[in-house]
Structure formats: C-alpha cells, structure tokens
Amino acid sequence: MPEATGVLVVGDSIDGELSPTSRELLAVGRRAADDLGEELAISLLGDTLDVPSQQAIAFGADKVYAVTHPLLAEAQVELSLAALDSLCREAAPRVVLIGRTNEGRELAPRLAFRLGVGLAQDCLEVSIDQETRTLLANRPVYGGNAVAVVSLAYTPQIAAVRPKVYEPADPDSSRQGEVVSFPVELDDSQARSRVVNTVQEEAEGIKLEDARIVVSGGRGLGGPEPFQDLEELAKLLGGAVGASRAAVDSGWVPASYQVGLTGKTITPDLYITVAISGASQHLAGCSGSKVIVAINKDAEANIFKEARYGVIGDWEQVVPAFAEAVRELTQD
Amino acid sequence: MPVNIAVLAKQVIDPEMPMAAFRIDDTAKSVVPPASIPPVVNGFDENAVEAALQIKDSQEATVTVLSMGTSFALDVMKKPLSMGADELVLLQDDSFENTIDSFFTAQVLTSAINKLGGFDLIICGRQASDWDNAQVPLGVAEILGLSTVALGKKVDVAGDKVSVERVTPDGYEVVEAPLPALVTVSNELGQPRYPTLRGIMAATRKRPTIWSASDLDMDAGQLEPRVTLRNLFIPVREQQCEMVEGEDGADAGRQLALRLREAKII
Ligand SMILES: Cc1cc2nc3c(=O)[nH]c(=O)nc-3n(C[C@H](O)[C@H](O)[C@H](O)COP(=O)(O)OP(=O)(O)OC[C@H]3O[C@@H](n4cnc5c(N)ncnc54)[C@H](O)[C@@H]3O)c2cc1C
C-alpha cells in the first residue's frame, strides 16, 4: 500500500444531487484535511455523477473520485462495499469519513472489517490530534449516558459521523477541484442479498426528518388514539409527528415514527414531547433540536433537564388547551 | 436437515437502570456496574433469540447461543435457554474484556463459531446497549464471508435462503440472501417470548459449554485492538428549563402557547 495521505469522504447522491449528509461530511473533512495539510477527496458511486461532482467541489472537495459502473446505480450495499474497498486500497487515505445513515450503519463496519482496520462509530465530533496526526473521535456510548473519546490504531482511520450534527459550509461555485474517474470491476454475483419487495408505511404530509416542528408522543399517552390529537396539533403547527420507542414497541405507531439512538435523528426548530420521560436513548435522536418543550406529569422526569420550556401536568388537560390556543394564535 | 442457527448474545449492564445509578470509574475508564441492579441479556439479542425461535417454531432447527465475557451471571445468561434455545456456549476468559474494540470480540466469536463447525444462519442483535458499536455482527459476517442482512424485523428460512423484512427509514423491504448468512435484528421484531415454566426447568438442568482463550485457536495478529479508548465521561447538560404554570392543566397549556408565541417560536 502507498503511504497514506488525505481525507476521503464517502459521499452519495440523492435524486441526482449531492446528499445533505455528504455536504456535512465535506465540512468536517475540510477542517480535518486543513489540519493535516492534506487533500480532501470524496467518492461518489453511480452512473451519472456530473452534477454531484461539481457540487462536491463547491462544498469543499479538492478531488472527486467518480466511481462509475452500471451496477452501482442501485446502491446495493455489497457492490458499494466492493467498490469502496478497492478505492481505499488504491487511494490509501489517512482518514475516511462515512455518514451514519441507514446505509452507513451497514457499510461502515463492513468496510472497516474488510480493510482490517478500526471504526469510530456514530461520532458526534471528529478532530485531528496535531502531534500524532491521528483522528480523535467523540462518540456517545451507553445510550448517550456517557461519551467516549477514541482513537484508531490502523490506517485508514474510519469514522462514521452522525448525520445532522455538523453544518455544511456555504457552497462556493468558484472553487477548483479535479474529477478523477475511478474504474472498478464488479460482477453481479457479488450482490448476494437481493431486495425483492419494498413497502412504504410512512405517514402522509411532511417527513419527520425534514419537519421544522415535531410533536412526539410516548408511553404516557396510553394508547394509539391520542396520537390522533398529536397529528392534529402537528398539522396546526405545520409539523410532523414522532414517537418514543416505547410507543412504537407498543404498536401504537409504525417504526418509522421512532426518534432516538436507534430511530431517526431529527433537528427541528421546535420539538414538543408529550408523555415522554427523556431517556438518554431518546434524547440521542433529538438533542440537536433548537427548542425542546416537554409536557409530562412527573416533575422529576429527565426530559425537563433537556427541555427549554416545560409544563408539569396531565397531557389530557394540557394538550387540548394548548392546541386550541395555538389554533387561535396562528389564525391571525 | 434441521436449520443450524447461532445467536450471539451479550451480557450488559441494565440499560433501563435509573440515570442516577450511572457511574464511571475514571482511572479504569469504564462504567461501574451498579451493585443492586443485575445485568441483563442485551435487549436486541433477546430479539435475536426470538427470531431464531420463530424459525424453530415452524421447522426443524437447533438454536445455539454464544456469548463472550470475563464473567457471567449464569441465571441471566440462561434466559435464552428458558425461552427455548438448545445450547449455550460461554466464551469466558480474563482476557475477554468488555472493551470498545469490536475487532477483538468479533475474532473471538468467529473462532468459537468455526470450532463449532459453522452455522447455516447466525442471528444477532443490531447493537449492544453498552458501547452501542453495532459492529461485531457485521464483523463476524465479514470475517466468515457470509451473506448479510442488517436490521431485520422478521426472519424466515426457506430451503437454502433466508428472507428478511428489513427496517428502512420509511417502512421495510424484503431482502433475500443465500445461506449461510448473518442477519441482525432490531426491536421492531416485537416482544421476545417469556420463558415458560417447562423452559425454566429445562434450562436449570442444562450445563453451558465453557471455553477459555486457550480452547480457541486464535490468530494473534488479529487480536491487536483497532480502537483505543482515550477518555470516558458523562456529558453535562446545561439547559435551564423554564416551567410554564397555570391555574390548572388546561390553563398551563394555554400559557405555554402564549409563551412560545412571545418567544417567536410559533
Ligand atoms: C439500546 C437501546 C436503544 C434504544 N433506542 C431508543 C430510541 O431510538 N428511541 C427511544 O425513544 N427510546 C429508545 N430506547 C428506549 C429508552 O431507553 C426508553 O425506554 C424509552 O425512550 C422510553 O419511552 P417513553 O419516554 O415513551 O416511556 P417512559 O419512560 O415509560 O415514560 C413515559 C412518561 O410519560 C409520563 N406520563 C405518563 N402519563 C402521563 C400523563 N397522563 N400526562 C403526562 N405525562 C404522563 C411519565 O411521567 C413518564 O415520564 C432504547 C433503549 C435501548 C436499551
């Protein structure tokens, strides 16, 4: 292997555009590359990559590895993995950054093991230790009850970064960078697992992960019906409805509603929790919200430690009156 | 031929313990197990046991549970047996510490899997609730070169294929993979079954197989840790919560709306 150098962001595109997560990773990667005095590259996999390549340069990349292959159009994980494995071996980056998205959750550990190196999982913060020129990563452990600072002994040092933690840089379309085509040899038989059917069960309206306002319900709601009230409240506010895992596990709402460590990471301007205790695993998915409001009957509930505004009370009394007042206030 | 299934399960500190009981030993850089709260089988691993037993409900299958650690609470680790699993293999050694490095753990588990002659299907919880690494299962799959499906909520075996309903951000997809395969499962799989009285009796009589490091042929070069823990701390939350009050609950709800309006939040 050649001497390792530079930072590689594992990028992706959605509907022909550079994904939001890739933009965030380029901001983190830019800082790390500057601290190292080395290059920032991004890999993009697919069949048509012109638009996202130019966007990647505008968002901070010095080099784009355009990994094109007809088989990569579908983003099958084993094919992506094979392509990234050969890219990492050939380009020999010092640091690799992957988004801990739904795909990244599978891709990052498998890539690390395939390369025989370590992975800092689900990082909230990555930086370069100038002295050793190694990566330092802060990552929540024990459901967010603690934070671990880890370093990695082998190169490439791979970090999976939690989405929506870093802000993308402002794009600069005058930035210069090069697009290098990286041919890979792939064979259909490498894709051993096959998707045979896709079922969507998401609620109508605004997507939970994009909503500016989210109203979430927990176990204290006691059943599926009260979620109707939350849906109405969310509609009034132009927002979406989420839930704690306890509500999902009880079967009151589909799994796609779950906010938290093993659910969705959301960063709305306003996050209203109703009858949610505020377990660290729940907060892991919403602590980046600008303002958290908690409605809970237990004054000792942990959610009040994270909330900006709180009401101690029974949701059955608080929520209808709150919704009514919101209706009046937002009508004029 | 019965389907030969392995479940990888970890003993962890109870993640639902009160936050006030959560303590860190700064010098050891580790979490202090709370004295009065017994450990549990990692929740997602119980989902994995349930997934394996659901397969066993509908066809001939054997379920072997493997776990690595320095010491075990036997009554805790026998829970999968009392739910209906057939065998328990404990990989127990002072050197099998619970570190943040998944590489080591995956190597130890892989050695044991190989020593047992391999499996048609390995089912694992998506992640352990202590280090939240979500790496060991996928690592085992990579080392063994198995086909892999992550984040299942339903797992079926038909002939030489596994069919998995895989959780996606907006629903699920049905994924098929050839055996031998490794599947990770999530809580969407549903409540694991409760041990039956008969199961508990059978589990009491069963003796786990216990293997130490020297029982497992491991490649020393593969045991170098890949991830080093530099520091471990409890994050401080600084948020000051403004409590909005009212004459009664309904009034507090109205006041809340007014307060949010005043602060230009709604
Ligand atoms: C590995 C792991 C991963 C996890 N991942 C997630 C995750 O992604 N997301 C997640 O949410 N959880 C997750 N959890 C679960 C988490 O630990 C908690 O168990 C869960 O968040 C609790 O949900 P809850 O707050 O709705 O329920 P509870 O903790 O039971 O809280 C219910 C709250 O409702 C209040 N209440 C009851 N009645 C009323 C009323 N009438 N009016 C007002 N308030 C009322 C109570 O005071 C209480 O505070 C995970 C756990 C583990 C171990």
Side-chain angles (χ1 to χ4, degrees):
Chain A
M1 252 206 221
E3 172 98 47
T5 176
V7 176
L8 174 72
V9 162
V10 173
D12 63 347
S13 54
I14 299 175
D15 299 332
E17 305 264 345
L18 186 67
S19 74
T21 306
S22 302
R23 296 172 194 213
E24 296 162 20
L25 290 178
L26 284 171
V28 195
R30 187 67 265 167
R31 214 164 312 149
D34 289 345
D35 286 348
L36 288 165
E38 293 175 354
E39 190 179 66
L40 174 63
I42 183 170
S43 64
L44 290 169
L45 278 53
D47 48 3
T48 44
L49 298 170
D50 293 345
V51 174
S53 296
Q54 291 312 316
Q55 288 173 331
I57 292 169
F59 277 98
D62 300 315
K63 187 192 267 180
V64 178
Y65 290 107
V67 190
T68 45
H69 194 289
L71 284 176
L72 289 173
E74 262 182 71
Q76 200 278 346
V77 60
E78 279 161 312
L79 296 175
S80 305
L81 197 55
L84 289 170
D85 181 39
S86 40
L87 178 63
C88 285
R89 285 174 200 277
E90 200 155 314
R94 186 190 296 275
V95 169
V96 174
L97 302 175
I98 304 183
R100 197 232 53 191
T101 56
N102 206 49
E103 296 76 36
R105 285 188 202 268
E106 179 170 352
L107 199 57
R110 292 184 71 181
L111 181 63
F113 271 87
R114 207 164 274 197
L115 293 167
V117 302
L119 165 71
Q121 178 70 288
D122 198 15
C123 304
L124 295 179
E125 205 179 318
V126 292
S127 59
I128 297 294
D129 178 42
Q130 294 287 5
E131 225 164 275
T132 55
R133 300 176 73 71
T134 52
L135 187 90
L136 280 180
N138 281 22
R139 48 164 316 238
V141 293
Y142 286 83
N145 279 303
V147 174
V149 183
V150 298
S151 62
L152 303 160
Y154 289 69
T155 315
Q157 306 164 61
I158 309 183
V161 181
R162 187 179 287 187
K164 298 190 182 177
V165 172
Y166 283 93
E167 289 279 331
D170 291 327
D172 172 1
S173 53
S174 67
R175 278 196 87 252
Q176 298 293 307
E178 67 175 319
V179 180
V180 185
S181 119
F182 185 85
V184 279
E185 281 186 32
L186 295 174
D187 157 0
D188 203 28
S189 69
Q190 284 168 296
R192 288 173 296 179
S193 65
R194 303 268 171 186
V195 177
V196 294
N197 191 13
T198 302
V199 181
Q200 291 203 330
E201 50 188 27
E202 194 157 29
E204 294 162 29
I206 306 171
K207 279 178 87 148
L208 176 55
E209 47 273 64
D210 301 334
R212 220 179 50 74
I213 296 181
V214 173
V215 185
S216 275
R219 188 181 348 244
L221 287 181
E225 298 82 16
F227 273 94
Q228 288 301 327
D229 300 345
L230 299 196
E231 299 276 1
E232 263 166 51
L233 177 58
K235 212 187 251 170
L236 276 177
L237 292 164
V241 174
S244 72
R245 176 172 149 186
V248 170
D249 280 351
S250 304
W252 302 339
V253 285
S256 56
Y257 279 55
Q258 186 178 318
V259 171
L261 182 68
T262 50
K264 286 182 176 160
T265 306
I266 58 169
T267 52
D269 293 341
L270 174 60
Y271 186 56
I272 303 176
T273 68
V274 184
I276 287 180
S277 64
S280 58
Q281 293 91 350
H282 184 79
L283 297 176
C286 62
S287 56
S289 309
K290 282 218 186 83
V291 173
I292 296 179
V293 171
I295 299 170
N296 194 305
K297 69 174 182 189
D298 175 11
E300 298 300 313
N302 194 62
I303 189 71
F304 291 122
K305 297 209 177 87
E306 193 82 3
R308 177 74 190 80
Y309 300 97
V311 172
I312 302 166
D314 190 328
W315 68 266
E316 290 192 61
Q317 283 153 25
V318 180
V319 170
F322 175 66
E324 192 47 44
V326 167
R327 191 191 314 272
E328 283 164 18
L329 286 170
T330 50
Q331 248 164 17
D332 34 76
Chain B
M1 280 283 281
V3 193
N4 200 2
I5 306 173
V7 172
L8 309 185
K10 185 177 186 179
Q11 176 181 305
V12 293
I13 291 177
D14 188 345
E16 306 270 355
M17 73 176 173
M19 275 184 189
F22 190 84
R23 295 249 147 63
I24 282 174
D25 176 341
D26 284 320
T27 33
K29 286 183 279 187
S30 65
V31 173
V32 185
S36 55
I37 304 165
V40 294
V41 177
N42 177 49
F44 296 122
D45 302 345
E46 284 196 3
N47 293 127
V49 173
E50 174 60 33
L53 294 177
Q54 282 175 9
I55 295 168
K56 199 183 160 187
D57 287 342
S58 64
Q59 57 190 297
E60 242 192 285
T62 57
V63 179
T64 305
V65 177
L66 284 88
S67 188
M68 181 197 101
T70 50
S71 63
F72 293 99
L74 252 194
D75 51 333
V76 172
M77 291 314 291
K78 276 191 168 185
K79 184 170 176 195
L81 291 177
S82 57
M83 289 164 69
D86 301 288
E87 301 292 337
L88 177 63
V89 179
L90 298 175
L91 315 174
Q92 184 175 4
D93 198 283
D94 287 344
S95 65
F96 293 169
E97 277 181 72
N98 179 18
T99 71
I100 200 164
D101 182 59
S102 302
F103 223 91
F104 179 82
T105 313
Q107 295 293 345
V108 173
L109 287 164
T110 307
S111 305
I113 289 165
N114 285 334
K115 193 176 161 86
L116 290 163
F119 292 88
D120 301 317
L121 179 62
I122 301 174
I123 309 182
C124 311
R126 59 181 289 173
Q127 68 196 60
S129 57
D130 47 9
W131 295 113
D132 287 319
N133 250 324
Q135 293 192 47
V136 168
L138 298 169
V140 168
E142 282 296 317
I143 298 167
L144 292 171
L146 303 175
S147 62
T148 310
V149 187
L151 300 183
K153 65 173 186 127
K154 193 162 190 297
V155 187
D156 284 316
V157 171
D160 56 1
K161 269 194 311 213
V162 62
S163 165
V164 181
E165 286 182 13
R166 174 184 196 277
V167 182
T168 61
D170 58 2
Y172 66 93
E173 56 192 19
V174 183
V175 183
E176 287 181 355
L179 299 179
L182 182 140
V183 175
T184 75
V185 298
S186 190
N187 55 290
E188 288 84 351
L189 196 114
Q191 268 292 332
R193 67 193 62 192
Y194 291 103
T196 59
L197 201 57
R198 238 182 73 204
I200 293 169
M201 306 270 281
T204 323
R205 283 191 301 270
K206 255 183 210 146
R207 277 164 179 269
T209 304
I210 298 178
W211 284 337
S212 67
S214 61
D215 293 322
L216 301 169
D217 286 330
M218 285 179 301
D219 174 358
Q222 291 292 8
L223 299 181
E224 287 290 310
R226 263 55 174 177
V227 180
T228 313
L229 182 62
R230 299 271 161 194
N231 195 7
L232 186 67
F233 62 91
I234 297 179
V236 273
R237 305 201 194 280
E238 282 164 7
Q239 187 62 260
Q240 270 297 325
C241 186
E242 177 182 328
M243 289 298 180
V244 178
E245 291 168 8
E247 282 161 23
D248 54 18
D251 189 40
R254 278 190 294 276
Q255 299 301 332
L256 176 64
L258 290 170
R259 187 70 190 90
L260 294 181
R261 184 62 164 195
E262 200 176 75
K264 299 196 166 57
I265 295 166
I266 57 171

